[in-house]
Every structure is written in C-alpha cells, then in structure tokens.
Amino acid sequence: EKMGLPSSVPRGYYLESLMSHILTFPTLFSGGYVANSLAIMTDALHMLTDLSGIILTLLALWLSAKSPTKRFTFGFHRLEVLSAIISVLLVYILMAFLLYEAVQRTIHMDYEINGDIMLITAAVGVAVNLIMGFLLNQSGHLHSHSHSHRHSHIPQSNSPNTAHSSSHGHSSLAVRAAFVHALGDLVQSIGVLVAAYIIRFKPEYKIADPICTYVFSILVILTTVRILCDTGVIILEGVPRHLNVDRIKEDLMKIEDVYSIEDLNVWSLTAGKTTAIVHLQLVPGSSSKWEEVQSKARQLLLNTFGMYKCSVQLQSYKQEISKTCASCQSSSA
C-alpha cells in the first residue's frame, strides 16, 4: 500500500477520483465558507487528505517508470515521501485553524449558519461519495472480469497458478480496502448532511456544527498519523513494519554453506520498495560454491521477503584471531 490508497487498485479509478476530488474540494470548502459551517470545511479537509493520497499514488506510479541518474542512483522514489510529509503538514495547519474556530464557537456561541447553503453543500458531498463508491465498485468488477477472462483458457500449473492466485487475491483485497475507505468517507458526509438538516430546521442546535468538526478532526488525525509514522521510518532508513530482521537472518543461515552473517541492512526507498544489503561468510572450503549461495540468498530476499532490490556480498571463511591488548599482557606478566 502506498502513502494514500492501494496502488493495485485499477489506475482508471485514480484518474476518475482525481478529477472528481479536484472539482469537489473547492465546492465543499467554498460552500462551507459561505454557509459559515466548520463541519462542511472539515469534511472538505478530509477530502483534501484523500486528494493528496491519490496524487501521491499517481506520483509513485510515474516515478517508478523514471530511470536512475548518475546523481540519483536509487531513482526519485523519495519524492513521494517528501510530498507526503508536506501534504500532511498542510492538512494539520488547516485543521488547527478549524479546531481553533470550533473551540471559539463552542465557548461564545456567537455565530450564525446558513442552513440552506449548508444543506445543499452537504448533499453534494454525499452525492460525490456515492458516485466514487459506484465507480470503484465498477472498476473492481471490470478488473476482476477481464483478469479472469484473460486466464480462462490458459492451462494451469502449480507454480504459475499459485502466483496468479496470490496476485489476484492481493488486487481484490486492495480494491476492497479502497472501497471501505470510500465507504468511510460516505458515512462522514452523511453525518455532515444530518447535522445540516438539524441546523436548517432547528437552528437552536447549531452546536452540532463544531461537534462535527471535533469528530472529523479526530478522523483526519487517525487517517494521517500512520502516514507520518511510515514516512518517518523511511526517512530514518528503518526496517519496514512488515519485515523481521531476525527472521531474515534465520532463513539466510539455513542456506547451505553459509557460516555466518557479517552484516545485514534493510531499509525502504519509499513505501513498498524495500532494499537490502547482506554480507555473508562461507563455511571453510566452500569458496567454489559462492555463485550457488549468492543465487539462493538473492532468491530468498527477492521472492520470499519481497525485496525491491538486494545486494549479496560473500567472503571466504576467516578464522577470528583474538588479540590480547597490551594492558592485559602487562597485567598477566
């Protein structure tokens, strides 16, 4: 999964969703501003987080096709991480302003909300989320249908069939995850619509507007805090959460003719692109088998642990010689 939505969702959905969000976000935000409704503007803010996620996914797809240069030998994958941090910080700045306004309204209660405009704008938000859920559902069905039709007349064997099932299952899960995400947005928009309905016909309950702002701000934090954590781990070149270094070492040690692991470094270039460098020492007398050991180690890292790139360095067995320091020698004498 990328910084935003799953990358294995059909690309057509991203383009359709991008255009929809670009058109809808300013409509919601300006409608909320004209109606003087913080709830509408917070709903638009949540839509901004979705918009940034879509842009990040499309950016990642574009950067994955760019070749590395002499200066940037790993490519430009970290641009996705930098843009994710910038977009989240922008969302937090806007959210802090809306929360401040919500607190002021809760304390002083000296504000008026245009219920008609709020109701119309909230209805637009619900309609957009309904359309996006329908498009995602259709994209998933079409992708699934074409995928199965393409392979319906191909003879099945164990290995390819397993890989095909795994890929198809991953794609299906990604579509489902994106659909659940869209469903959550729809529920939030319905909540805004209910608040708008209450304020339109019961203006004395206008406190529902800042209450929605509090609730939706919590939702925005919950949907972005993991992005910040993941980007922090990537920038600090930490091990991705789905990998266990001890497990990798154990599996490498199971390779025949491996005596020890001198060094192992695992980090991510960006979300979903993990890189590893490992330094192995061979058992005595097995230097001639280095190609076989290197091939098995690379296959383990690339296929079993899903590394994007890996480098395997080998050295022949060297017996460690314990050196006694001068102070120890003098004390024993």
Side-chain angles (χ1 to χ4, degrees):
E1 184 172 325
K2 295 293 179 184
M3 300 297 178
L5 298 173
S7 60
S8 51
V9 174
R11 188 177 301 189
Y13 168 75
Y14 285 120
L15 297 177
E16 295 167 351
S17 183
L18 177 65
M19 293 304 299
S20 174
H21 280 72
I22 288 177
L23 294 174
T24 309
F25 168 72
T27 302
L28 284 181
F29 197 84
S30 58
Y33 180 80
V34 172
N36 199 27
S37 170
L38 294 178
I40 296 289
M41 288 189 281
T42 311
D43 191 26
L45 188 64
H46 194 191
M47 182 168 286
L48 179 62
T49 65
D50 295 341
L51 177 60
S52 63
I54 295 167
I55 293 175
L56 289 174
T57 302
L58 293 175
L59 177 65
L61 292 172
W62 178 70
L63 291 176
S64 62
K66 300 285 288 184
S67 301
T69 65
K70 292 181 179 179
R71 183 174 180 82
F72 300 99
T73 56
F74 278 107
F76 300 91
H77 304 290
R78 287 283 169 91
L79 283 177
E80 181 190 3
V81 180
L82 292 176
S83 59
I85 294 176
I86 293 172
S87 64
V88 171
L89 290 179
L90 174 61
V91 167
Y92 281 174
I93 291 173
L94 294 174
M95 185 181 67
F97 172 76
L98 293 176
L99 280 175
Y100 173 79
E101 288 295 324
V103 171
Q104 294 299 314
R105 290 187 175 190
T106 304
I107 295 174
H108 302 293
M109 296 294 291
D110 55 349
Y111 61 95
E112 295 295 331
I113 297 176
N114 190 321
D116 292 327
I117 297 179
M118 182 182 181
L119 190 60
I120 294 172
T121 308
V124 170
V126 172
V128 168
N129 281 291
L130 282 172
I131 293 172
M132 294 316 302
F134 175 76
L135 289 177
L136 180 57
N137 191 40
Q138 290 297 110
S139 298
H141 282 311
L142 289 174
H143 180 69
S144 218
H145 174 71
S146 62
H147 193 84
S148 60
H149 178 73
R150 193 184 308 124
H151 293 275
S152 59
H153 301 292
I154 297 177
Q156 296 181 355
S157 59
N158 292 336
S159 175
N161 188 51
T162 303
H164 161 70
S165 299
S166 174
S167 174
H168 183 262
H170 175 71
S171 177
S172 299
L173 288 175
V175 172
R176 285 169 56 190
F179 183 78
V180 170
H181 184 90
L183 185 63
D185 293 343
L186 175 61
V187 171
Q188 176 174 323
S189 296
I190 292 175
V192 176
L193 182 61
V194 171
Y197 184 85
I198 293 174
I199 293 173
R200 168 64 181 81
F201 296 101
K202 295 286 185 180
E204 62 271 20
Y205 294 130
K206 61 183 181 180
I207 190 66
D209 186 73
I211 289 176
C212 284
T213 302
Y214 298 140
V215 174
F216 298 154
S217 296
I218 294 174
L219 292 177
V220 170
I221 292 175
L222 292 178
T223 54
T224 55
V225 67
R226 183 173 177 179
I227 296 177
L228 283 181
C229 292
D230 290 343
T231 52
V233 170
I234 292 173
I235 290 177
L236 294 175
E237 298 189 340
V239 179
R241 67 173 73 237
H242 67 281
L243 291 176
N244 188 320
V245 173
D246 293 332
R247 172 68 186 278
I248 296 175
K249 288 182 177 180
E250 289 176 5
D251 288 356
L252 286 171
M253 287 299 298
K254 292 177 183 177
I255 298 176
E256 188 177 358
D257 298 318
V258 172
Y259 177 76
S260 65
I261 300 174
E262 297 297 306
D263 193 19
L264 173 63
N265 294 301
V266 180
W267 73 99
S268 292
L269 299 177
T270 186
K273 293 189 181 295
T274 309
T275 305
I277 295 178
V278 60
H279 182 187
L280 304 176
Q281 185 173 197
L282 303 177
V283 298
S286 61
S287 299
S288 60
K289 301 180 181 179
W290 68 270
E291 289 185 345
E292 182 181 351
V293 174
Q294 187 183 58
S295 176
K296 290 181 179 179
R298 284 182 57 82
Q299 185 177 5
L300 177 71
L301 294 172
L302 294 174
N303 298 336
T304 303
F305 292 101
M307 300 291 177
Y308 172 67
K309 286 184 179 181
C310 70
S311 177
V312 180
Q313 180 184 356
L314 301 174
Q315 74 173 51
S316 56
Y317 174 79
K318 291 182 180 180
Q319 186 176 4
E320 295 184 1
I321 302 174
S322 59
K323 297 180 180 180
T324 308
C325 62
S327 59
C328 295
Q329 289 178 348
S330 61
S331 62
S332 61

